[in-house]
Each structure stands twice: as structure tokens, then as C-alpha cells.
Amino acid sequence: MLARFASASKTALAIAGLLLATPAWADRTITDQIGREVHVPDQVNRVVILQHQTLNIAVQLDAMDKVVGVLDEWKKQLGAKYVRLAPTLPELAMPGGLTKVNIEELLTLKPDVVFVTNYAPADMVKQIEDAGLAVVAISLLDVPPEEAVKMNPAVKDEPAAIDAGFAAGVRLIADILDRKDQGEAMIAVTKKSRTLVAERLADIPEDKRVPVYMANPDLSTYGRGKYTGLMMERAGARNVANEIAGFKQVTMEDVLKWNPSVIFVQERYPAVVDEIRTTASWQTIDAVRNGRISLMPEYAKAWGYPMPEAMALGELWMAKELYPERFADIDMQKEADAYYKEFYRTDYRAGQ
């Protein structure tokens, strides 16, 4: 009891100190992506990011000088090699994760804004708010607030919800980080290859699309309502897991029944490729028998949330991988280098 009281007193003192040190709040109020009105300081110089999608966007907006803390699972979520694109990451405090926060550690960082994921628990958000901090939730999806707080929201019009939600999310992050111009440039470049891919694949009927499975650790995959499915659709693929909703674990029986012709694995999960190639239960699947298991490049982020490089480069890469004869003139190395120079300020090939 005494220990609990001492801990509570320590937290209360930390909150009081923070509030005394916090600059005056601005007159502006923003609405985050789960429909909450949030007051943000006039000058945002210190942010904590507890969501890897927002962190990835912040890196590309060249705003890491404002980041003082990040989610503790950043390496798992972004991949071990990501540090080459954001060298300061290992030096930053890690006061929480997607669904948890260490409030005392967070307070010592004195952030102006804390970014969280849309499905962060309500008590976690309240705990941060009660400490006097601005909390901004990012979903990168345009759905009603009652759906926006779910990890697997119901989505009626996936292309519209994802495109609009992505643009709104990038603008919100860029506005808070004072990187509006970079945010608009990011949104513009994501649309560059869309027309090209759509035109070259327009004559492929639904029944001729390549059946594809997105393999993740522990037989988890993406169904409808997630960006991964839209990425596949735009690249001329048929997501064999479209019968499920959201990001879920399936069974080996499901995968055997679906029998995909191609299996893609995200760059952050290379061990999954070896597992599929060497495990007996996978060997009768067409993709395995024909050697069509591909570890995706770093930029082709087939995550449940849309990422700028996935929309600008990943959809094109996937289309070229599935229909190489239709994209023979596209040099993905050159495309990736150009994107990385603009948004990561380095050559893509430098990390290969």
C-alpha cells in the first residue's frame, strides 16, 4: 500500500512539474482520425510516436529532430534494417508501445504531442490526456469514429476509405510536425504510378487474376478492409484471404484450400520464407511447388495501413512481379532510388 501511494505521489509530482513547464496552448483545435478534438500547442518541438506507421511517415517528412520517444517494438514493426534510414532510433527513449504506456517515463520526455494508433486502449489514451498531454490518434483510414477505433474496422468502400484516410493522416502528421510542403509532395508522388498500373492491367478479368497469399509469422494474414488487399487488387492479384476481415490468424487448412499461385512475404519477416520452403505442410501448394515465393523489397510495405512508399512503389513492384511482360520497361531500381533520394535522403541501393 505504501509503495503504491509513493508511486502515485511520484506520478502526481511529475505531472505537476510538466504542467508548469508546458508552454501556453494554441488557439487551434485539430480533429484526429478517430474523431476526437485535440488542442495542440502553438509550437510543437517534442513528440513521442507510439505507432510505427506514423513513425515511418515522420522519418520521410524529415522530422526526426522533433521525435524524443518511440514505440518499444519499432525494430520488430519496421524491420531491423530500417535503422539505416533513421540512425537516431536506437538512441531514443521507448516509453510505451501500440497498446501500452509507461506514464512516468513519458512525462520525463515532456512531449508537446503524443501520437498513438487508432486502436490504442481508451484507458491508455485517458491516462496520457490526464497527464496534460495532447494525444493524436492516427488510422490512415476514413471510416466513422465507431469503426475507426477498431483494429479491424468495417469498411464499405475500401479504395475511397484508404485513399482519403491516407491523405488526411499524412496532412495531419505533417501539419503537427510543421512539414506541410513535404506532406503534400508525399501525397502527390503516391498517385504517380496509379494510372500507369491501372491502364496496363485494365483488360485482365477477375477470373484471370493471379491468386496471391500474403504470408506473415504464425499464419497471420490480411483479408478485406486492410490496405494489403487493395494493394493486391491494384496490382492485378486476387487476395485468396479475401473471405476473412482484417488482420487475423488463419489455419494451414485454409492456406491449403486457397492454394495460392504466388506467396509474398514482407521484408521485415525473412524467416517466414525459409519456414515455407522447408516445412512439409506447405509443399503441395502451387506457389511452393513452382518456386513463386517472393520476399518483398523494403519499399513494398504490404501492411494493413497504407504507407507512402507502398502506394508509390510497392503496387508497381507487385504488378511487375505478377505480370513482368507488361512492365518490362520499368526499372524498379531507378524508381526506388528516385523516391528514396526525395524522401529518405539516400539511395535505395545503398542499403542493399
Side-chain angles (χ1 to χ4, degrees):
M1 178 67 73
L2 288 174
R4 189 183 307 164
F5 178 78
S7 176
S9 299
K10 183 179 177 182
T11 300
L13 287 171
I15 293 173
L18 174 70
L19 293 175
L20 289 172
T22 300
W25 293 100
D27 263 340
R28 66 174 181 150
T29 302
I30 59 98
T31 301
D32 72 5
Q33 289 200 288
I34 60 173
R36 299 166 53 257
E37 290 191 346
V38 183
H39 296 280
V40 296
D42 188 36
Q43 186 71 33
V44 174
N45 294 314
R46 300 173 64 84
V47 300
V48 168
I49 302 179
L50 300 181
Q51 185 200 41
H52 54 288
Q53 293 93 349
T54 297
L55 178 57
N56 183 55
I57 290 171
V59 171
Q60 295 185 61
L61 292 174
D62 197 15
M64 286 302 288
D65 59 319
K66 294 178 181 284
V67 179
V68 296
V70 295
L71 70 163
D72 53 12
E73 59 260 55
W74 67 264
K75 187 176 290 186
K76 172 188 173 183
Q77 299 293 350
L78 296 174
K81 294 195 299 184
Y82 191 83
V83 70
R84 76 181 181 88
L85 303 172
T88 61
L89 275 175
E91 304 164 13
L92 295 173
M94 295 181 289
L98 291 165
T99 58
K100 63 184 186 298
V101 67
N102 181 327
I103 195 68
E104 292 184 9
E105 186 176 356
L106 180 67
L107 288 170
T108 65
L109 300 175
K110 299 181 180 178
D112 300 312
V113 172
V114 180
F115 288 100
V116 299
T117 190
N118 55 297
Y119 57 84
D123 58 349
M124 169 183 165
V125 173
K126 185 176 187 302
Q127 190 178 18
I128 301 172
E129 284 183 320
D130 287 349
L133 302 175
V135 187
V136 176
I138 301 294
S139 70
L140 299 167
L141 190 67
D142 183 17
V143 291
E146 62 271 19
E147 291 297 325
V149 295
K150 300 177 182 178
M151 184 176 184
N152 295 316
V155 184
K156 293 181 179 179
D157 184 342
E158 289 183 28
I162 287 172
D163 287 347
F166 168 77
V170 168
R171 288 192 174 107
L172 182 56
I173 296 165
D175 179 24
I176 291 171
L177 297 177
D178 193 24
R179 297 291 191 275
K180 285 186 178 181
D181 290 345
Q182 293 93 322
E184 291 305 317
M186 178 180 290
I187 294 167
V189 78
T190 61
K191 301 175 182 178
K192 186 175 65 172
S193 63
R194 186 70 47 77
T195 301
L196 170 68
V197 173
E199 286 178 351
R200 294 193 185 187
L201 301 179
D203 63 331
I204 302 178
E206 183 66 29
D207 62 347
K208 298 297 183 183
R209 286 172 170 257
V210 180
V212 176
Y213 175 71
M214 186 63 62
N216 293 285
D218 303 318
L219 284 174
S220 294
T221 193
Y222 299 97
R224 64 185 182 277
K226 290 294 187 178
Y227 167 68
T228 310
L230 180 62
M231 182 181 189
M232 291 180 179
E233 179 184 329
R234 287 174 168 167
R238 175 173 62 82
N239 182 9
V240 296
N242 196 54
E243 66 188 59
I244 69 171
F247 178 69
K248 291 182 179 177
Q249 186 178 51
V250 297
T251 66
M252 196 66 227
E253 288 72 22
D254 290 325
V255 183
L256 290 168
K257 175 187 70 174
W258 294 332
N259 191 26
S261 297
V262 173
I263 295 173
F264 288 131
V265 180
Q266 297 175 43
E267 182 265 349
R268 55 183 171 164
Y269 302 131
V272 174
V273 176
D274 294 332
E275 179 185 344
I276 292 172
R277 285 176 176 160
T278 59
T279 304
S281 56
W282 286 87
Q283 302 313 304
T284 62
I285 293 173
D286 284 350
V288 181
R289 289 191 302 105
N290 297 322
R292 298 202 67 186
I293 309 166
S294 294
L295 186 66
M296 305 177 77
E298 181 182 58
Y299 55 76
K301 290 181 167 65
W303 298 353
Y305 292 53
M307 285 291 96
E309 60 267 61
M311 299 177 81
L313 298 169
E315 293 175 14
L316 179 60
W317 173 87
M318 187 179 283
K320 182 178 172 71
E321 192 77 2
L322 296 175
Y323 305 97
E325 70 285 352
R326 296 185 180 227
F327 297 90
D329 60 317
I330 301 297
D331 185 334
M332 287 308 305
Q333 187 71 63
K334 289 183 178 178
E335 297 287 336
D337 277 345
Y339 183 94
Y340 271 58
K341 282 181 181 178
E342 181 172 1
F343 293 102
Y344 283 118
R345 300 157 296 281
T346 186
D347 283 344
Y348 173 69
R349 70 186 73 222
Q352 303 310 298

